[in-house]
Amino acid sequence: MLAAAHPERVSSMALYASYARLSLADDYPQGVPVERLRRAWRALANNWGDPDALRYFAPSQADDPELRERWGRLLRSGASPGVIARGSPSPARPLGASPTR
């Protein structure tokens, strides 16, 4: 948020888990089919903060109680369920289409 609100105060930024495009397209055959992404986004939004998603990111550690607690806290501190729901894809904002400045 700081970078968006005050770009003059930010000299560099590290991005994690970012992508230029994720959805399948004629010019992006390695992408993921849009309907699959929509289902995944709905599941993510409906279960925001639930550590079960850790199974996708660190399957070998997904049953570690301490890591599960930290993972859930990380998700909840990064964004609220409402923010995730508002960021979900729609016809006006399809997956893989990100506004640029």
Side-chain angles (χ1 to χ4, degrees):
M1 295 299 296
L2 179 69
H6 303 282
E8 73 283 357
R9 295 174 59 191
V10 178
S11 62
S12 62
M13 199 165 58
L15 302 176
Y16 171 74
S18 61
Y19 49 87
R21 181 179 188 102
L22 186 58
S23 58
L24 180 69
D26 290 339
D27 62 345
Y28 196 72
Q30 66 270 39
V32 180
V34 171
E35 191 48 43
R36 191 158 115 199
L37 289 170
R38 284 193 177 113
R39 284 192 312 268
W41 193 274
R42 279 192 299 269
L44 178 70
N46 290 337
N47 299 299
W48 188 247
D50 185 332
D52 282 342
L54 188 56
R55 295 195 183 288
Y56 298 106
F57 297 95
S60 66
Q61 301 294 312
D63 293 322
D64 178 325
E66 184 178 333
L67 183 57
R68 289 175 61 79
E69 172 58 32
R70 286 192 322 227
W71 178 260
R73 193 172 343 118
L74 173 74
L75 293 177
R76 291 185 300 274
S77 68
S80 70
V83 166
I84 297 304
R86 284 190 303 276
S88 64
S90 70
R93 189 182 56 256
L95 282 157
S98 300
T100 58
R101 293 174 127 192

